[in-house]
Amino acid sequence: VETLMPGAALGEWVATAKGSAEGREHMRRVARIGVDAFLKMCFQDNLVHGDLHPGNMLVSFPSDRQGPVLTLLDAGITTELAPRDQNNFIALFTAIVKGDGEGAG
């Protein structure tokens, strides 16, 4: 399904947003939204987006919402991990969060 979504590409938006205090606060909120979405996709939904980069993320400010909205695009390359692979993925992220370079492999 293709739908035209409003917003600015993340990289372009960051270039302008970082110039003001309000923009930097919005950047923090967008970063939190992005991290939460990534973690939910990977660890709760077992969905891996194979092409997640700033060009496939749009930031918008709809009038009916307070604050920024992050839209993820191009989910044509997605997969679910087999249980073994998902456990390895979880172990990798756990090691990274703990600062355990050896455990991260």
Side-chain angles (χ1 to χ4, degrees):
V1 174
E2 292 187 24
T3 303
L4 180 62
M5 299 301 295
L10 180 65
E12 296 171 8
W13 175 76
V14 166
T16 59
K18 66 183 180 181
S20 71
E22 180 183 39
R24 289 187 296 276
E25 177 58 30
H26 287 308
M27 287 172 57
R28 284 188 281 279
R29 292 174 73 183
V30 168
R32 172 52 49 199
I33 293 167
V35 167
D36 288 348
F38 175 78
L39 294 174
K40 182 181 184 306
M41 280 191 305
C42 292
F43 300 119
Q44 185 175 339
D45 302 330
N46 188 24
L47 175 73
V48 178
H49 188 303
D51 195 22
L52 197 55
H53 58 80
N56 278 340
M57 298 180 206
L58 299 179
V59 178
S60 61
F61 293 84
S63 60
D64 62 340
R65 303 274 307 262
Q66 280 191 321
V69 170
L70 181 63
T71 302
L72 306 180
L73 304 174
D74 196 9
I77 303 173
T78 58
T79 191
E80 292 181 356
L81 298 177
R84 178 175 168 239
D85 295 330
Q86 188 177 28
N87 288 336
N88 287 337
F89 200 55
I90 290 168
L92 170 65
F93 271 85
T94 300
I96 291 169
V97 169
K98 289 182 175 181
D100 177 9
E102 187 174 315

